[in-house]
Amino acid sequence: MTTDLAAGLTWADHPMIASAQRLGPAICAAADEIEASGRLTGELSEAMTEAQIFQMYLPAELGGPEVHPLTAFATAEALARCDGSVGWCAQV
């Protein structure tokens, strides 16, 4: 199994995936507001930033988590379970 570059973990064991899963209830609660406003809520955006989700591909040498592409995919998938646009935002 391919390792996650910065963390030395297998791609499926990266804690970022668990962080995304923990955001699930907040995403589900905000889904109607996200749909109505066409944007993430400020609280959700802050939580995703704190979890380094928006920085997934930033190299470790620049202070990022530098996750494996499969880790990023699994993270976006976990975020998209309640609202697909949240997963999309994490990937762009």
Side-chain angles (χ1 to χ4, degrees), residues 5 36 67-68 83 87 91:
L5 301 175
V67 303
H68 187 277
D83 190 296
Q91 285 293 322

Side-chain angles (χ1 to χ4, degrees), residues 16-60:
M16 185 169 293
I17 298 169
S19 293
Q21 291 168 336
R22 282 191 298 274
L23 289 173
I27 295 168
C28 289
D32 289 340
E33 184 178 348
I34 292 168
E35 180 67 24
S37 68
R39 67 181 76 188
L40 300 177
T41 65
E43 296 83 14
L44 185 55
S45 181
E46 288 175 22
M48 291 171 69
T49 300
E50 187 175 306
Q52 291 191 305
I53 290 170
F54 294 128
Q55 298 87 6
M56 287 191 287
Y57 293 112
L58 186 64

Side-chain angles (χ1 to χ4, degrees), residues 1-12:
M1 185 173 277
T2 306
T3 60
D4 196 288
L5 301 175
L9 304 166
T10 62
W11 69 266

